[in-house]
Amino acid sequence: MKIKILTLILIFFFPIHILAAKEIWILDKELSTITFDIPVFLLTNVKGKFKEIEGLVEIDLDKNKKNKAVFSVNINSVEINYNKYRNLLLSNIFFDEKNFPIALIDTKKFSYKNEKELETIVELNIKGFSQDVPLKIEIIRLAEELVQIKSNLIFSRTAYQIGLGKWSSTAILKDKININTNLFLYKN
């Protein structure tokens, strides 16, 4: 009788997803980096690095099909090699950080079975615009509870209205933005 009562309590008071086996991997913010590069015609490329990043990966141990990962950057934390243009970059002409302070990458659900490389589609959300973009990921297991994730994501800045008015032209400031990640995650 006690087992039946305990079972009923577990079913009614604990959501099913809590009972499912999963691993949570947390981003080590001190070691991890997210950088970007925008090609500029006849000049040094615009290079930047986000100082404030967040993220986690949830691995579905039961079926390995409901894995998910979410990573974000605080737009205002950006450092760029053209420091005198930082305020322009944060303005509504480029990132509009006052209205959209966070950029987000969400994998939704993906399948993973300890591969060293993974190709998936991620949802990239910048300035309120959201698009699915392909992402190739390299996974390096450094220790039992520490992994390194490297990736390169390329997307169109004009698709997210990054660069308005005279800055929308791709003649000088090219359209493709490269985002490079070097992320370290530890098992929670």
Side-chain angles (χ1 to χ4, degrees):
M1 182 68 175
K2 289 182 182 180
I3 293 176
K4 286 183 181 179
I5 292 173
L6 180 60
T7 303
L8 288 173
I9 290 171
L10 286 173
I11 290 171
F12 287 108
F13 291 102
F14 293 97
I16 293 298
H17 72 275
I18 291 175
L19 298 175
K22 62 183 174 183
E23 286 181 352
I24 304 292
W25 293 78
I26 305 293
L27 183 71
D28 185 322
K29 297 178 224 178
E30 299 298 317
L31 295 176
S32 301
T33 59
I34 297 179
T35 61
F36 66 88
D37 186 277
I38 307 171
V40 180
F41 183 68
L42 297 178
L43 293 172
T44 302
N45 291 354
V46 176
K47 296 177 187 244
K49 177 180 179 177
F50 293 99
K51 300 300 282 179
E52 294 177 26
I53 59 179
E54 300 284 339
L56 67 89
V57 175
E58 184 177 291
I59 302 295
D60 169 20
L61 296 174
D62 289 335
K63 298 178 183 170
N64 283 320
K65 293 186 180 181
K66 294 183 181 178
N67 303 307
K68 57 186 169 186
V70 178
F71 295 95
S72 66
V73 296
N74 178 339
I75 297 296
N76 193 33
S77 74
V78 70
E79 293 179 345
I80 60 171
N81 59 330
Y82 289 102
N83 198 41
K84 68 180 180 178
Y85 294 113
R86 185 175 186 278
N87 288 337
L88 176 64
L89 189 70
L90 296 176
S91 75
N92 63 341
I93 294 171
F94 284 93
F95 283 109
D96 195 4
E97 85 68 43
K98 286 185 181 170
N99 291 311
F100 304 100
I102 302 292
L104 183 77
I105 293 176
D106 185 350
T107 64
K108 304 292 181 194
K109 295 177 185 173
F110 65 92
S111 181
Y112 174 72
K113 295 180 183 173
N114 292 324
E115 297 100 329
K116 292 182 180 181
E117 289 189 353
L118 175 68
E119 291 185 30
T120 188
I121 302 294
V122 298
E123 180 182 352
L124 178 61
N125 190 312
I126 302 173
K127 287 181 67 173
F129 296 97
S130 180
Q131 289 191 356
D132 290 342
V133 291
L135 180 65
K136 188 174 183 180
I137 303 167
E138 178 185 3
I139 302 152
I140 304 163
R141 186 170 286 277
L142 300 171
E144 185 63 32
E145 297 188 0
L146 179 67
V147 295
Q148 180 180 13
I149 298 175
K150 293 182 177 185
S151 68
N152 177 261
L153 182 134
I154 299 172
F155 70 95
S156 163
R157 72 175 176 85
T158 55
Y160 292 88
Q161 295 185 8
I162 298 172
L164 301 175
K166 66 181 180 182
W167 292 101
S168 64
S169 171
T170 58
I172 302 293
L173 192 61
K174 300 302 179 185
D175 188 43
K176 299 299 180 191
I177 296 179
N178 299 305
I179 297 178
N180 294 296
T181 66
N182 188 22
L183 307 176
F184 295 85
L185 295 116
Y186 60 90
K187 192 190 291 188
N188 191 17

